[in-house]
Amino acid sequence: MAGIERQYELVVIGNGAAGDNIARTLGRQGRKVALVEKAHLGGECLNDGCVPSKALIEIAREARRHPISWTEALARVHAVQLLVRGNDPGGGFDRDGVDLYWGEARFLAPGRVAVGDDVLVAPDVVVATGTEPGLPPIPGLAEARPLTNRTIFRVAQLPRRLAVIGGGPIGLELGQALHRLGSEVTLFEALDRIAATEEPEVSLELQRIFEAEGIRVVTGAKLARAERLADGTVALETADGRFVVDDVLVAAGRKPVIPAGLAELGLARDSRGFIAIEPCGRTSVPGTWAAGDVTGKFQFTHYAAYQAHHIAKHIAEGVCEPIPDAIVPWAIFTDPEIGHAGMTEAQARERGLAVATGMLAARELDWFRTTGQVEGFAKVVVDAETGALLGAHFLCARASTLAGEACLAIQHGLTDRQVAGTIHPYPTAGELFRWACARAVSGRQRG
């Protein structure tokens, strides 16, 4: 049976940070906009990512002082999600001039998207469908039915012994939080260090902190096989021996979610399977744009919103201009946190730059002493001649906030001397960035 055609100026598929931003922006401008969502409003971040994981991390921090049951922890996590989601089941899209459609989107042709019995027709379509957990190619792993970030918040009982596969942000955050809530955690990372996107000093110190807490960290892990045994436990075969745990949490990569029918229209994808886009955000399919994690750029909510802001502008103005380059900071919400802005020392040297660095331990400053959060340090990377800031890296309390200040300084070309000469309130964590920059100045002067 032929579907009912409904004409729009824009169709957006997916309601994560990118899709939400574009749909509301154009809807508020008076454009006729349709938004398609198959499962839950808010995307990965609200439902299975940033919001529940950060809530769990805070609860786990509290659990270091007094016991908190898994049942209570989950109830509190879900309460936070409800608070963030709000009371309107329709997300308030009607007030923003956006028609919300529930269901799977399927491309029939460029500019023609089927949702149930409806066919949405528009000159512009935005694909903002995000990613889903990927499974590494370990024999038997899929059959062992491992947990992921999408299922861990729905298990009735916390595993007593838990293997975490993946030493990136998701594995590190959830691994530490679940350990603090009562799991015996073994963390497996295939590379030679955890947090491999960070400075080596950050990775090594974080591993030391994890191991001091009682988390077993196995780097260079070669997992040969996984098997769900008859008693419900899982056996992991490695070069170092056999590990038997109650469950496995996989946090080792993401794969893009591509709407049905789009590949048949000649969609170009990169070597990892993510949607390839022009610098302005357009795909190879006429009239079709892509934004957010599905493009495989920086898979952060804040970058998806930045990307979406410019794509919404391009659609509104009918242009295809490159999205401006920007320094993209990020944080890993372990305890202590990791904050990252700009280049690492190795990346700067790979570009042929002469660099200098400045490092300062958190325990040297009064804010960290007075709060008792003395673990960690700051490291800044600067141009050895001019002192221009190239990168700033933090492992400490409030590192996520410090990364924002460092990003501002790098983005606008400040030098180590300018930051060191800027008054910061006392006592605050922000002083760590200032005095690390002062160390860089001193080091350059000695050099």
Side-chain angles (χ1 to χ4, degrees):
M1 186 174 88
I4 302 171
E5 286 199 1
R6 302 188 185 278
Q7 299 292 326
Y8 287 93
E9 293 174 83
L10 172 67
V11 173
V12 177
I13 306 172
N15 179 238
D20 190 90
N21 185 301
I22 294 171
R24 292 186 195 274
T25 297
L26 275 295
R28 288 166 182 165
Q29 292 178 9
R31 306 296 179 98
K32 190 172 173 58
V33 177
L35 174 68
V36 182
E37 174 53 50
K38 69 177 181 180
H40 305 287
L41 295 180
E44 187 82 10
C45 185
L46 173 57
N47 295 289
D48 305 298
C50 321
V51 171
S53 66
K54 303 314 169 279
L56 189 71
I57 288 164
E58 288 304 313
I59 295 165
R61 192 192 312 272
E62 184 182 329
R64 301 192 83 184
R65 299 189 296 273
H66 60 84
I68 296 176
S69 71
W70 180 242
T71 300
E72 179 187 347
L74 283 187
R76 290 170 59 178
V77 166
H78 297 323
V80 169
Q81 289 177 294
L82 289 172
L83 179 65
V84 174
R85 182 175 285 114
N87 298 321
D88 187 340
F93 284 106
D94 52 346
R95 296 191 297 273
D96 291 324
V98 177
D99 293 342
L100 177 60
Y101 290 81
W102 291 100
E104 292 270 2
R106 178 168 55 88
F107 275 82
L108 305 176
R112 293 177 62 84
V113 177
V115 186
D117 293 333
D118 296 309
V119 176
L120 312 181
V121 182
D124 290 293
V125 179
V126 174
V127 178
T129 42
T131 62
E132 61 187 4
L135 293 183
I138 299 169
L141 183 60
E143 292 76 11
R145 305 180 306 282
L147 299 168
T148 69
N149 70 294
R150 289 193 171 180
T151 57
I152 186 62
F153 298 107
R154 291 187 283 276
V155 297
Q157 186 174 352
L158 185 68
R160 184 175 66 83
R161 299 167 301 174
L162 178 69
V164 177
I165 300 177
I170 296 173
L172 294 172
E173 292 177 357
L174 290 180
Q176 187 184 41
L178 296 170
H179 172 74
R180 289 180 170 185
L181 286 165
S183 281
E184 297 174 11
V185 171
T186 301
L187 180 69
F188 295 93
E189 169 53 54
L191 299 177
D192 61 359
R193 58 189 175 93
I194 60 174
T197 57
E198 310 308 316
E199 291 281 10
E201 299 97 322
V202 170
S203 298
L204 294 173
E205 179 63 9
L206 185 65
Q207 180 170 339
R208 185 197 67 76
I209 291 169
F210 270 34
E211 290 174 340
E213 284 195 25
I215 299 171
R216 181 172 184 176
V217 179
V218 181
T219 55
K222 304 295 186 246
L223 294 172
R225 180 168 182 78
E227 182 183 4
R228 179 75 69 173
L229 304 177
D231 63 359
T233 61
V234 179
L236 296 174
E237 303 289 345
T238 78
D240 297 320
R242 189 170 189 256
F243 295 81
V244 178
V245 295
D246 295 296
D247 221 326
V248 177
L249 172 67
V250 174
R254 311 285 298 178
K255 60 182 182 180
V257 177
I258 309 296
L262 189 53
E264 290 75 8
L265 300 180
L267 178 72
R269 297 165 76 169
D270 67 17
S271 60
R272 302 170 299 155
F274 291 88
I275 296 178
I277 57 173
E278 297 178 36
C280 66
R282 284 195 310 210
T283 74
S284 59
V285 177
T288 306
W289 308 71
D293 290 1
V294 76
T295 67
K297 303 297 182 185
F298 294 96
Q299 294 186 41
F300 307 120
T301 298
H302 48 281
Y303 182 75
Y306 174 81
Q307 191 183 40
H309 166 78
H310 288 281
I311 291 175
K313 181 174 179 289
H314 296 161
I315 293 172
E317 297 178 359
V319 300
C320 186
E321 300 171 348
I323 296 172
D325 289 333
I327 303 297
V328 181
W330 64 78
I332 301 177
F333 292 88
T334 48
D335 182 14
E337 297 176 347
I338 293 173
H340 181 126
M343 290 184 278
T344 63
E345 181 180 354
Q347 289 169 336
R349 294 190 187 281
E350 286 168 4
R351 296 192 182 189
L353 299 173
V355 303
T357 63
M359 291 187 66
L360 186 69
R363 66 179 63 251
E364 295 188 52
L365 296 183
D366 290 351
W367 184 85
F368 296 93
R369 292 167 174 167
T370 57
T371 62
Q373 301 175 89
V374 296
E375 293 180 304
F377 59 88
K379 176 180 179 179
V380 296
V381 182
V382 304
D383 185 287
E385 182 178 347
T386 66
L389 280 161
L390 304 173
H393 308 277
F394 307 94
L395 175 67
C396 61
R398 307 284 175 88
S400 55
T401 301
L402 291 172
E405 180 182 352
C407 182
L408 180 69
I410 298 167
Q411 182 81 37
H412 294 282
L414 298 188
T415 66
D416 51 6
R417 190 178 298 277
Q418 287 174 313
V419 174
T422 300
I423 299 173
H424 285 60
Y426 169 89
T428 61
E431 290 184 292
L432 188 63
F433 181 39
R434 178 189 184 189
W435 294 118
C437 286
R439 288 279 175 90
V441 173
S442 297
R444 289 193 303 112
Q445 289 173 338
R446 289 194 303 269

